[in-house]
Every structure is written in C-alpha cells, then in structure tokens.
Amino acid sequence: MKFNIAILPGDGVGPELSVEGIKILQKIGQKFGHEFILKYGLVGGAAIDEQGTALAPETLQMCKASDAVILVSVGGPKWDDPNAKVRPEDGLLAARKGLGLFANLRPVFLYPELVNATNFKPEVVRGVDFIVVRELTGGLYFGRPKKRWTTATGRKAVDSMLYSEREIERIVRVGFELAQSRKKKLISVDKANVLESSRLWRQVAAEVARDYPDVILENMLIDTCSMRFIQNPRYFDVMVTENTFGDIITDEASTLAGSMGMLPSASLAGVPVEGKRIFGLYEPIHGSAPSHAGKNNINPIATINSIAMMLRYSLNLPVEAKAIETAVENTLKDGFRTYDIMSEGCTKLGTREMGDQIAKRI
Ligand code: IPM
Ligand code: MG
C-alpha cells in the first residue's frame, strides 16, 4: 500500500531522530511491500528562523493532506525569551489544535531488561504497563482568558482551565474504549475537591460510563495519583485526564520506564477503534534535548516506537507495528543500550548504531 507521511523534525535532537525513524519506516516498507511517500516541513524554532512563524499555514496544510504526521521535538535556549512574540512550542500547540488531535495516548511500559535502569526497587516496577490518555486541545493550554497585564497594584496573569462537556465526553470515551480492550478498568484523574472543571469532568465520566457497563470506573485525585505512581505503579492500567495533569504525570511516569527516551506517543483526531484508520501525529514524549543535539548519543527508541504507534492507529498495519516493537525488544534483549539506559555488561551504542540494530531485527 501507499501512504503519505508528513515529517516535521523540529529542533535540537529532532532532525537526527527523524533520520532513525525513517530508517525504520523504510525497512518496514521493503519488508512488507509498502510505499511511504515522505514530505518534510519545518516546525518550532527551525520554522521561526526560516519562516517567522512556528508553524506556517502551508505546513499545516501539508499535514492535513497526509495520512499521518511524525513530529519529533521543538524548542531550545535560542528561542527561550519569556517576552518573545512567538515560541517554538506554539508550533506544536498549533499543530495539535489545527489538526484536531484531542486524544494523546502515552503508553508507559517497562521492558524487563531495563528494570535496573530505573531508580526503583525491582519489585515495585517490574511489570509496569499502563497507558495515560491525555486530553490535548483544551484546558490551561488553550482556555481563554489567557493573558498578562499590569494593574495599579502590580502585574497579573491568567490561564483558564476551561472544558466543555463535549470535550470531556470524547476524551473519556477514548479511555473507556482502551480500557475495554485491556483490563476493563479505567481511572479518571482530576482535582474534583477543588476545581469546577474537574467536577464537570467527573459528572460526564459517570454519564459515559453507562455505555461501558463492563468497565469499572475509578475516580482518583491528581495528588493521590502522583503518589500512587511511585508507590505502586502496577495499580494502573488505563487512565484518562485533562491536558496539564496529563503533561505532568507522563514525565513522572517516564521514570518508571527507565528513561524519557523510551516513551512514544500518539495524538489522535478520533476515538481509536480496531481496524479503523484514524488521523494522528506521532512524537516521542521527550523534548528537543539541545545539549545532546548532533552528538549521536540520544536514545531513538521513543521515536521508533512512536512510528510503531503510527502504523497501528493511522495506517491500520498492526502486524508491521508489532514487527517494530519486537525488534526493539530483541535489541534490548541482545544487550544494546544508549547512554540513558546503560547498565553493566551491556553494549553502549550511539543513536545511529541503535537505529541500525533495530532496523536489522525487523
Ligand atoms: C509534551 C511537552 C509539550 C506539552 C510542550 C513542549 C509544549 O511537554 O508534549 O508533553 O506541554 O504538551
Ligand atoms: Mg510534557
């Protein structure tokens, strides 16, 4: 089959990681007889420098005309001025909003080989395998008012955690669908003891639950959840939460997987249903790691596993997706590591060499 893929490498380690991702995609193409037509675009700081905006309208158009988008990372010290009119992150947010990508799936999985790469006791983390469904186009990131101003008594600023019931309903539904395909348990994370938006969230979640009588819904406060993540991470299977909470807890969760460099993500424009192709954008959850850029040492697994997610959700190629995931697994089993997950007795590789080892096993 033929697929159109838009690639936005972005900043920092983005370009070198996109090379590894494409290496894997091409290997899949050869092995399974698919053609991936790649179109490149700028995003983030790279786009600001070249085009004066973090995501040009033509780039957004190119993404819309594709079957899926790969975006690696944006940002860096060069564009970090707090008074800047435009920031690299604006490009990522514009892509999420402009493409309607409301559902961000962040699987957190600890490979058995990496138990010693975490800071946790093996008996706490062994077997960690859960998925966070993060709402991606609402809440504090996009709610209005959102501004800074000066008053007679000093400067003020506001961000708004705004949610409509429609926005809550569709994201909670994604959580239920995934829970149904896994352990039939959904944890909805909120701050309903304080926030109005969370109280609406809880109400809507309970209403959607009626459509999924076989799934158990548990509400959990975000502060409790943050503690339980560290204390007993295996308690979790599928969780659903709003934008900012999801941002924070997935960075926390990455420590359970050994490194930020391990975690992929999918941002979808619809509810994932088996056998159906859903438009999406795929990115590692880590940032642009500017201090690692160009050093050939960054871990490509988060990017490569994001490509596996793309094959599964946007291209409906589950066998091909599994082939990538198995290749990653076998590469780790064979003792190959990047610096961030290195442990004694293993072979330390650079970004390109890790990509080669994974490609070889497909
Ligand atoms: C993420 C990142 C982004 C976010 C930043 C880069 C805007 O932290 O994808 O988790 O906050 O959503
Ligand atoms: Mg984040």
Side-chain angles (χ1 to χ4, degrees):
M1 279 177 81
K2 257 190 195 182
F3 301 98
N4 290 302
I5 310 293
I7 301 180
L8 314 184
D11 308 319
V13 294
E16 59 200 275
L17 287 177
S18 64
V19 170
E20 298 316 307
I22 290 151
K23 194 187 273 178
I24 299 299
L25 203 54
Q26 272 158 354
K27 187 70 195 279
I28 290 287
Q30 283 166 17
K31 172 128 193 207
F32 293 88
H34 302 303
E35 191 185 342
F36 298 102
I37 302 156
L38 310 178
K39 299 221 169 86
Y40 287 82
L42 296 172
V43 67
I48 294 175
D49 289 352
E50 286 284 317
Q51 302 168 319
T53 164
L55 183 73
E58 358 11 315
T59 311
L60 188 66
Q61 212 37 58
M62 179 188 89
C63 293
K64 281 185 184 163
S66 307
D67 295 302
V69 182
I70 299 168
L71 185 157
V72 187
S73 56
V74 296
K78 182 176 174 193
W79 308 279
D80 247 355
D81 174 8
N83 292 313
K85 286 251 148 30
V86 51
R87 300 178 50 86
E89 291 77 6
D90 296 340
L92 177 57
L93 300 183
R96 289 173 179 171
K97 194 73 171 176
L99 299 171
L101 306 169
F102 69 90
N104 184 214
L105 274 42
R106 297 189 162 187
V108 179
F109 176 75
L110 175 63
Y111 290 86
E113 294 74 23
L114 298 190
V115 167
N116 292 321
T118 75
N119 293 335
F120 296 87
K121 291 185 192 142
E123 62 269 28
V124 173
V125 282
R126 191 173 282 125
V128 159
D129 177 8
F130 60 83
I131 180 159
V132 179
V133 179
R134 170 188 174 192
E135 200 290 324
L136 205 58
T137 51
L140 292 174
Y141 281 61
F142 296 96
R144 304 282 149 175
K146 182 183 193 67
K147 59 177 180 175
R148 264 190 282 174
W149 73 101
T150 304
T151 72
T153 55
R155 287 170 295 174
K156 288 193 173 177
V158 63
D159 295 285
S160 305
M161 195 183 275
L162 180 70
Y163 272 106
S164 69
E165 67 174 301
R166 183 183 149 267
E167 287 173 308
I168 301 170
E169 197 257 354
R170 63 183 183 179
I171 193 70
V172 168
R173 208 166 274 288
V174 174
F176 274 108
E177 288 290 334
L178 286 172
Q180 217 165 34
S181 71
R182 294 176 53 122
K183 293 189 180 155
K184 304 198 187 307
K185 192 181 132 190
L186 175 65
I187 300 180
S188 173
V189 181
D190 62 35
K191 187 70 188 171
N193 51 349
V194 177
L195 302 175
E196 257 338 308
S197 56
S198 285
R199 289 193 271 271
L200 178 63
W201 184 285
R202 238 178 228 214
Q203 250 169 15
V204 174
E207 288 157 17
V208 177
R210 289 186 211 129
D211 293 343
Y212 300 88
D214 53 335
V215 177
I216 296 168
L217 170 67
E218 178 183 343
N219 296 300
M220 191 181 282
L221 296 174
I222 180 69
D223 40 357
T224 311
C225 168
S226 312
M227 184 258 299
R228 183 99 40 112
F229 253 16
I230 303 298
Q231 202 176 47
N232 183 13
R234 270 176 313 205
Y235 185 80
F236 298 92
D237 188 53
V238 182
M239 316 159 61
V240 61
T241 193
E242 70 84 45
N243 204 344
T244 305
F245 295 160
D247 178 44
I248 298 169
I249 58 172
T250 50
D251 269 31
E252 188 192 9
S254 73
T255 65
L256 300 164
S259 164
M260 287 267 270
M262 295 301 297
L263 295 195
S265 86
S267 303
L268 306 178
V271 180
V273 181
E274 222 179 285
K276 208 177 119 194
R277 282 169 61 174
I278 297 162
F279 181 76
L281 177 150
Y282 298 83
E283 54 171 328
I285 83 149
H286 63 71
S288 59
S291 66
H292 292 275
K295 293 195 178 147
N296 191 42
N297 68 5
I298 201 84
N299 186 348
I301 292 178
T303 301
I304 290 171
N305 275 342
S306 298
I307 294 195
M309 293 187 86
M310 173 178 92
L311 299 182
R312 178 169 293 119
Y313 293 110
S314 287
L315 310 185
N316 191 24
L317 300 174
V319 174
E320 289 82 340
K322 193 77 198 140
I324 295 179
E325 288 160 352
T326 306
V328 168
E329 220 176 282
N330 289 335
T331 304
L332 293 171
K333 273 199 189 122
D334 292 341
F336 295 108
R337 303 281 188 275
T338 41
Y339 82 93
D340 55 316
I341 50 173
M342 184 59 191
S343 54
E344 228 185 289
C346 293
T347 311
K348 190 155 128 191
L349 297 181
T351 309
R352 282 193 292 276
E353 293 70 30
M354 193 67 166
D356 289 343
Q357 289 298 335
I358 296 170
K360 214 170 88 179
R361 286 169 174 75
I362 290 176

